[in-house]
Amino acid sequence: MKSSVIVFPGSNCDSDCYDCLNEVTGGPVTYVWHKEEALPSTDLVVIPGGFSYGDYLRAGAIARFSPIMKQVVEFANAGGAVIGICNGFQVLLEAGLLEGAMRRNENFHFICKNVYIRTEQVESIFSQAMNPGQVLSIPIAHGEGNYYCDDQTLSSLKKNDQILFRYSDVSGQVDASTNPNGSVDNIAGILNQKKNVLGMMPHPERASDALLGSVDGRFIWESLITCLV
Amino acid sequence: MLEAHIQVTLKPSVLDTQGKAIHSALHSLKFKAVNEVRAGKYFLVRSDEDNLETFTAEVRKMCDQVLVNPIIETYSFTIQEMSKA
């Protein structure tokens, strides 16, 4: 599977994504600098975590004007697989590829810890390797991961099965006590309507190697390998 | 030459965690009568444009396209002749 990792000034999970994809998919993986005006031939585009443009204005707000983003939007609109992780999720929201917006975490804190997320649907290229309701252990690390959308958007996300992950406990229980940041409806990851674009706050690339304590992130990459190759 | 003073705040329906933190800080400093704080952003945009109508339309576009995220934020602005530096 050919993957491309977009690199903005301030991206800091690009190497993690690169190494992880190289390891899990066998490559090739290509870094794509944000000034590039064309994507290489690729099966998957990854927008990694970090603080693109120092989070100036709003997280992800400036990155979406980078030349490469025009290509990413075209790639996504043509049905290409795109995953945005953490800051990458924020970039996808600002770029309008996903619905909603991010607010500061409800408890004001930057939260860096392992959480559990429940797989809400397996009919997507990102989740075919999971079982319905499967709980994954994946870390989060963000200050602005408090997902927001209005009631109308929330009901359309539900109706179209666009909510892929919800924050849960280890047994898959989803309630206010398992919500780390105040996100609407415990949302940790959503899909676009065509289900070829995923944004998620947890970092699967940090949970794809036994040395790091969890390999649950691999389910996402393995789903993609099955569907895209 | 004109300048715009633009204020951006979270919509009233959106929880403002910064404003809440500042509110409790003010209370701990004994400003007991304070009953709400909303935090926001301020932009000063100076332009060579002289036409008030043109500049007003431009500022609105800037807000809609980049300065404001309309899903969670709202804005207001005033325009005046450029102040002397």
Side-chain angles (χ1 to χ4, degrees):
Chain A
M1 183 173 84
K2 289 180 282 185
S3 310
S4 299
V5 178
I6 309 293
V7 185
F8 297 102
S11 294
N12 65 11
C13 301
D14 42 342
S15 299
D16 304 58
C17 287
Y18 184 97
D19 285 345
C20 163
L21 284 163
N22 231 352
E23 170 83 18
V24 179
T25 72
V29 188
T30 312
Y31 285 123
V32 182
W33 181 237
H34 73 117
K35 291 276 194 197
E36 297 288 330
E37 291 183 356
L39 280 171
S41 160
T42 195
D43 301 307
L44 172 70
V45 169
V46 181
I47 306 186
F51 298 87
S52 57
Y53 293 92
D55 275 354
Y56 290 173
L57 188 60
R58 297 177 303 275
I62 308 289
R64 87 168 153 112
F65 295 103
S66 281
I68 196 63
M69 280 309 293
K70 211 174 148 206
Q71 301 306 313
V72 173
V73 170
E74 270 180 29
F75 180 78
N77 287 341
V82 178
I83 178 169
I85 301 163
C86 198
N87 187 229
F89 187 4
Q90 295 160 341
V91 173
L92 292 175
L93 290 167
E94 286 285 342
L97 284 174
L98 293 170
E99 299 156 86
M102 286 296 173
R103 303 166 294 185
R104 290 280 178 91
N105 292 342
E106 198 168 52
N107 66 0
F108 320 144
H109 296 292
F110 186 97
I111 308 169
C112 184
K113 65 174 187 181
N114 287 313
V115 297
Y116 295 102
I117 53 174
R118 189 176 74 190
T119 309
E120 302 295 63
Q121 66 114 353
V122 294
E123 300 298 314
S124 85
I125 56 171
F126 304 96
S127 57
Q128 298 214 340
M130 284 89 113
N131 295 314
Q134 185 170 342
V135 175
L136 309 178
S137 167
I138 298 189
I140 53 170
H142 59 247
E144 282 182 55
N146 181 353
Y147 178 78
Y148 173 83
C149 64
D150 60 25
D151 292 343
Q152 199 184 344
T153 308
L154 180 62
S155 52
S156 86
L157 288 176
K158 283 182 184 167
K159 205 177 102 208
N160 302 328
D161 293 324
Q162 287 171 255
I163 301 170
L164 188 55
F165 297 118
R166 281 196 173 92
Y167 297 108
S168 73
D169 67 8
V170 65
S171 68
Q173 183 74 27
V174 170
D175 58 36
S177 73
T178 66
N179 190 339
N181 52 24
S183 290
V184 162
D185 210 26
N186 279 48
I187 285 174
I190 55 166
L191 301 162
N192 64 341
Q193 287 187 13
K194 280 159 66 183
K195 307 216 170 92
N196 60 310
V197 178
L198 165 64
M200 62 186 293
M201 290 313 291
H203 286 269
E205 81 282 10
R206 297 187 192 179
S208 295
D209 188 318
L211 262 181
L212 300 176
S214 170
V215 291
D216 287 355
R218 284 189 176 236
F219 285 103
I220 296 170
W221 314 123
E222 278 156 14
S223 300
L224 287 165
I225 293 168
T226 311
C227 296
L228 299 180
V229 180
Chain B
M1 292 190 283
L2 296 168
E3 62 183 34
H5 300 254
I6 306 166
Q7 288 182 37
V8 179
T9 51
L10 287 168
K11 285 180 181 171
S13 57
V14 176
L15 176 73
D16 177 5
T17 52
Q18 266 194 98
K20 250 175 93 177
I22 297 163
H23 186 180
S24 57
L26 291 175
H27 269 211
S28 67
L29 288 169
K30 313 273 185 249
F31 294 103
K32 295 291 181 199
V34 174
N35 63 43
E36 189 180 17
V37 178
R38 301 290 290 179
K41 292 175 199 159
Y42 165 77
F43 303 98
L44 167 62
V45 177
R46 290 185 161 145
S47 171
D48 292 334
E49 180 59 58
D50 287 319
N51 184 291
L52 181 64
E53 211 168 298
T54 311
F55 188 51
T56 303
E58 271 183 1
V59 170
R60 197 159 285 133
K61 261 192 191 163
M62 291 174 208
C63 288
D64 293 339
Q65 288 177 12
V66 57
L67 298 179
V68 179
N69 182 334
I71 298 168
I72 48 172
E73 294 173 327
T74 178
Y75 65 90
S76 62
F77 60 85
T78 56
I79 289 176
Q80 63 185 52
E81 282 295 323
M82 200 178 288
S83 52
K84 299 232 164 64

